[in-house]
Amino acid sequence: DTEVTQTPKHLVMGMTNKKSLKCEQHMGHRAMYWYKQKAKKPPELMFVYSYEKLSINESVPSRFSPECPNSSLLNLHLHALQPEDSALYLCASSQVRTSGRAINEQFFGPGTRLTVL
Amino acid sequence: AQKITQTQPGMFVQEKEAVTLDCTYDTSDQSYGLFWYKQPSSGEMIFLIYQGSYDEQNATEGRYSLNFQKARKSANLVISASQLGDSAMYFCAMREGLYGGFKTIFGAGTRLFVKA
């Protein structure tokens, strides 16, 4: 299995709703990432988990709450979002290399297109 | 600070011809990795090719090759024999450090259009 899956594919939510995005991989990767991508822009890193521990938080507002319940799953909990949070949210995973030729490419999921009304 | 520059917002190429997508980078690190990703309209980012800063030979993966010129800090992607399915957004990206680094920054991207 060489894919990253994300659910849902599309999500429309109001500013008072609480929702969650889910990401799953079964490649044995121990690093997982959340990116936000606005239209016609490159992805922007939000969070990185390494061995199920939060490794990087790129000063993301607290209305986004990540969770890594196990080595295969990554969630992004959403609460009280703003319309400007509408974007494509991409999940990715990679090996964690500490020696050898560290290609360390990230495998991306298809993304969740989020619309906040 | 790291920076990736892709100066071509859009490129056109005739089917079956080769095309070069430009990428320049800036970093003060000696160890770094350079990546190219393809993003079709469906949204998924697809890894294409990797070049490590200490790799002496240019990377190749099928129809993709990376023209790595370290002194010029450029890492251009060459696609040979373009196909209609190559129409997509292409991102150049860099990760500082060769081992265990997680932070990858992306260039603004180049939209490639392949004409029949």
Side-chain angles (χ1 to χ4, degrees):
Chain A
D1 188 354
T2 58
E3 67 170 359
V4 177
T5 59
Q6 289 187 245
T7 55
K9 284 188 166 49
H10 300 274
L11 179 62
V12 179
M13 61 187 289
M15 289 190 284
T16 59
N17 291 157
K18 282 186 183 180
K19 297 285 184 184
S20 296
L21 309 185
K22 296 187 186 303
C23 174
E24 191 167 3
Q25 57 88 15
H26 295 286
M27 294 178 278
H29 292 168
R30 302 307 296 272
M32 296 188 76
Y33 311 72
W34 279 116
Y35 287 87
K36 174 183 177 180
Q37 186 178 23
K38 302 285 274 185
K40 299 183 181 179
K41 296 289 187 182
E44 296 176 3
L45 184 64
M46 300 173 72
F47 303 103
V48 181
Y49 275 82
S50 174
Y51 292 95
E52 295 87 71
K53 286 191 168 61
L54 185 63
S55 178
I56 295 177
N57 177 343
E58 289 288 270
S59 302
V60 179
S62 60
R63 57 186 183 268
F64 295 92
S65 175
E67 178 197 20
C68 190
N70 60 54
S71 60
S72 300
L73 291 174
L74 184 67
N75 298 321
L76 186 63
H77 303 297
L78 314 173
H79 174 54
L81 293 193
Q82 303 296 310
E84 60 263 29
D85 296 322
S86 298
L88 178 68
Y89 288 84
L90 292 164
C91 173
S93 70
S94 73
Q95 294 177 333
V96 179
R97 292 184 188 268
T98 55
S99 64
R101 187 162 183 262
I103 296 176
N104 203 22
E105 73 271 29
Q106 294 173 33
F107 291 79
F108 283 81
T112 294
R113 292 193 185 273
L114 174 67
T115 302
V116 182
L117 301 177
Chain B
Q2 286 182 300
K3 189 177 178 183
I4 293 277
T5 302
Q6 294 180 255
T7 57
Q8 305 154 314
M11 289 280 288
F12 286 86
V13 65
Q14 198 66 40
E15 196 180 6
K16 299 181 186 175
E17 292 186 351
V19 63
T20 298
L21 306 184
D22 294 342
C23 173
T24 58
Y25 61 91
D26 191 20
T27 179
S28 54
D29 268 19
Q30 297 300 310
S31 301
Y32 50 88
L34 296 159
F35 303 80
W36 277 92
Y37 288 88
K38 171 185 177 182
Q39 188 175 38
S41 55
S42 58
E44 184 174 351
M45 298 277 285
I46 302 166
F47 166 73
L48 295 178
I49 197 166
Y50 166 84
Q51 182 86 39
S53 57
Y54 294 119
D55 293 340
E56 294 184 352
Q57 293 201 338
N58 288 341
T60 59
E61 291 286 350
R63 295 187 298 111
Y64 305 107
S65 60
L66 199 152
N67 184 359
F68 182 46
Q69 299 190 36
K70 196 169 180 178
R72 289 185 168 187
K73 293 189 174 178
S74 75
N76 298 338
L77 177 70
V78 180
I79 305 174
S80 63
S82 297
Q83 302 172 356
L84 294 177
D86 294 335
S87 294
M89 182 70 94
Y90 289 80
F91 291 100
C92 180
M94 176 170 65
R95 186 199 67 232
E96 278 182 346
L98 288 178
Y99 305 122
F102 299 124
K103 209 163 176 179
T104 299
I105 63 161
F106 291 81
T110 295
R111 171 78 62 180
L112 179 66
F113 300 91
V114 180
K115 297 181 290 184

